[in-house]
Amino acid sequence: MSDFMKWLYAHYIRPQIHAAPQGDYEFWFSLMDSELGSNGREAYEKNMEFTAIHAFLLGLRTGAGLSAVTPR
């Protein structure tokens, strides 16, 4: 993964994720925070980083592909 994507995750994507309302998922997030040890939390953060970066890139690719067929 490029250094830029890791920077983008740390400075844009992650803050957006943490600012989003948790709604029905609040219980699950608090359960995970209380149950994970330091190794589990580190593994979770790396998995979240990977998944969020690739979801962001998928959104860019999908949006770029749809712009050609979307009426204005």
Side-chain angles (χ1 to χ4, degrees):
M1 197 126 353
S2 74
D3 289 338
F4 173 72
M5 290 309 299
K6 289 180 181 182
W7 179 90
L8 187 66
Y9 173 75
H11 292 89
Y12 177 72
I13 299 170
R14 187 169 188 248
Q16 292 292 321
I17 290 171
H18 287 289
Q22 294 177 350
D24 294 338
Y25 297 94
E26 186 173 1
F27 168 76
W28 301 104
F29 282 114
S30 66
L31 181 64
M32 186 177 55
D33 280 340
S34 64
E35 295 294 322
L36 286 179
S38 62
N39 289 339
R41 187 162 293 150
E42 182 181 352
Y44 168 76
E45 286 294 328
K46 292 308 283 183
N47 281 298
M48 175 67 100
E49 178 182 294
F50 177 84
T51 304
I53 287 172
H54 285 282
F56 178 81
L57 291 172
L58 177 63
L60 286 178
R61 286 192 294 272
T62 303
L66 292 176
S67 65
V69 295
T70 306
R72 293 182 188 228

